[in-house]
Amino acid sequence: MTDTNVLILGGCGQVGTELATGLKELYGNDHVVVSDIKPAAEANVNGPYETINVMDKDAIFEVIKKYKITQVYHLAALLSATAEQNPMFGWQLNMDSLLHVLNIAKENHISKVYWPSSIAVFGPGTPKKNTPQDTIMDPNTVYGISKLAGERWCEYYHEKYGVDVRSIRYPGLISYKAEPGGGTTDYAIHIFYEALKHNSYECFLTADTMLPMLYMPDAIKATIELMEAPAEKVKIRSSYNLAGFSFDPAGLAKEIEKQLPGFTISYKPDFRQAIAESWPGSIDDSRARNDWQWKPDFSLEQMVHDMLLNIKKKL
Ligand code: AKB
């Protein structure tokens, strides 16, 4: 029997959907409460579910009390492309909700917090290749600014109040179980659906826009491993660099073409190009590898194979 009870905020999103499955395998179905802004009838969750608006601290706290929650995974956020369309709302949602969770932890109502950061904390002045853990950070998107500020708050709450908060700077996450929502790296998911439906794809980034990426099973593995690691191994309390592989749209298209002969790609960059250009092309994640033995399982080739196989079944 576990005395760990987990609450996932933003649990119906791209990461939350798969993280819930992983955490239920670890702690049992009844010990993982999924929450999202959606009403229960639309959420399609098997197990405890609560509708929560993360801007409402009392609503979060009520659910924490009701289920005797010990750990919160706070995944709700406006991502890069959506936040650029609505900057003030992006800032408020991303910051206020994080501070609500950190304050609940500071008041000792929960013992551990997970909050994802992103490669969006980097900016045009950051070295692009093998971007180090500690480097120039000058994000120029609302999302990136909110994630960098969030990282500083996490470290502050850890140092001043002893809050056990842990975080990963997710690169682009590739998955097929749940839809991605409003990110710049989402092209690397859309391309698979279009490849299988039409054998062609029009990309909103240019052919040579290199970005760091990670396949979802590896992202879930990393998240749970970081949260399960003994506290003394977690030496970074802002957020850990992490990545699986890097590619540009032309490279991904080439890999898809190997497995789907005749596949073609064309390019029509839009406002997301500038966002992508401000981010690193590859990431140095040696601190995660050394501190808590992070190691991805999937190569680019294996990811493409698995995505095509599973999306084909879905379609
Ligand atoms: C986005 O594109 O906004 C996200 C991210 C890299 O954090 N996938």
Side-chain angles (χ1 to χ4, degrees):
M1 265 303 281
T2 177
D3 49 14
T4 299
N5 291 316
V6 176
L7 170 64
I8 308 179
L9 299 170
C12 292
Q14 191 200 359
V15 179
T17 306
E18 300 201 35
L19 187 61
T21 310
L23 290 170
K24 283 175 182 181
E25 277 164 19
L26 190 62
Y27 294 121
N29 210 38
D30 295 342
H31 292 272
V32 179
V33 180
V34 176
S35 78
D36 208 291
I37 189 110
K38 291 178 187 178
E42 287 168 29
N44 196 19
V45 169
N46 177 17
Y49 179 83
E50 294 282 340
T51 301
I52 299 181
N53 176 351
V54 289
M55 303 284 268
D56 183 349
K57 186 182 175 204
D58 293 341
I60 302 173
F61 187 48
E62 282 310 310
V63 172
I64 285 174
K65 276 194 301 190
K66 178 172 167 189
Y67 293 91
K68 300 188 170 54
I69 296 297
T70 55
Q71 301 187 5
V72 172
Y73 286 72
H74 173 23
L75 309 177
L78 230 55
L79 297 191
S80 58
T82 321
E84 285 312 290
Q85 311 298 321
N86 200 343
M88 283 307 106
F89 180 61
W91 173 255
Q92 276 163 3
L93 177 81
N94 294 359
M95 291 323 313
D96 291 0
S97 61
L98 172 61
L99 287 169
H100 291 336
V101 174
L102 289 176
N103 281 322
I104 291 172
K106 176 190 161 196
E107 291 151 14
N108 288 321
H109 300 295
I110 48 176
S111 57
K112 246 188 224 178
V113 175
Y114 178 78
W115 172 81
S117 184
S118 160
I119 53 159
V121 292
F122 300 116
T126 305
K128 288 245 176 285
K129 279 197 191 146
N130 222 12
T131 300
Q133 175 71 37
D134 299 309
T135 184
I136 296 167
M137 298 169 98
D138 55 352
N140 59 5
T141 63
V142 178
Y143 175 63
I145 296 169
S146 74
K147 287 293 180 189
L148 181 53
E151 286 192 9
R152 302 318 310 147
W153 278 121
C154 287
E155 194 177 286
Y156 184 91
Y157 271 69
H158 177 71
E159 283 182 4
K160 301 272 174 196
Y161 310 122
V163 170
D164 188 353
V165 52
R166 304 172 182 208
S167 176
I168 288 171
R169 289 173 182 155
Y170 287 142
L173 297 180
I174 301 167
S175 69
Y176 60 87
K177 290 192 182 153
E179 296 278 299
T184 302
T185 57
D186 293 2
Y187 91 85
I189 297 174
H190 300 156
I191 192 171
F192 287 97
Y193 287 87
E194 294 304 305
L196 285 163
K197 284 191 216 156
H198 309 295
N199 219 19
S200 66
Y201 176 63
E202 186 180 87
C203 185
F204 58 74
L205 299 181
T206 58
D208 59 352
T209 311
M210 188 67 80
L211 287 168
M213 302 275 182
L214 184 64
Y215 196 32
M216 190 60 86
D218 277 331
I220 301 304
K221 181 178 88 148
T223 304
I224 295 179
E225 278 175 5
L226 172 62
M227 283 296 272
E228 291 295 304
E232 65 277 9
K233 285 198 165 195
V234 185
K235 301 208 174 83
I236 293 173
R237 296 298 183 146
S238 52
S239 191
Y240 275 96
N241 270 11
L242 200 104
F245 33 72
S246 287
F247 55 75
D248 57 20
L252 178 58
K254 205 167 144 209
E255 205 51 56
I256 293 176
E257 210 262 336
K258 278 191 206 158
Q259 301 186 34
L260 277 186
F263 171 69
T264 57
I265 185 165
S266 57
Y267 302 95
K268 196 175 173 203
D270 66 15
F271 73 99
R272 289 168 282 194
Q273 181 62 31
I275 301 178
E277 272 173 23
S278 74
W279 291 351
S282 59
I283 293 286
D284 173 5
D285 59 6
S286 51
R287 291 296 304 273
R289 288 175 187 260
N290 291 334
D291 288 0
W292 41 277
Q293 289 68 55
W294 152 246
K295 195 172 167 292
D297 290 330
F298 283 83
S299 65
L300 169 60
E301 202 179 353
Q302 289 166 323
M303 176 279 285
V304 170
H305 179 76
D306 206 54
M307 283 289 281
L308 288 173
L309 195 80
N310 284 290
I311 296 175
K312 202 185 259 175
K313 281 188 211 153
K314 234 176 124 175
L315 293 175

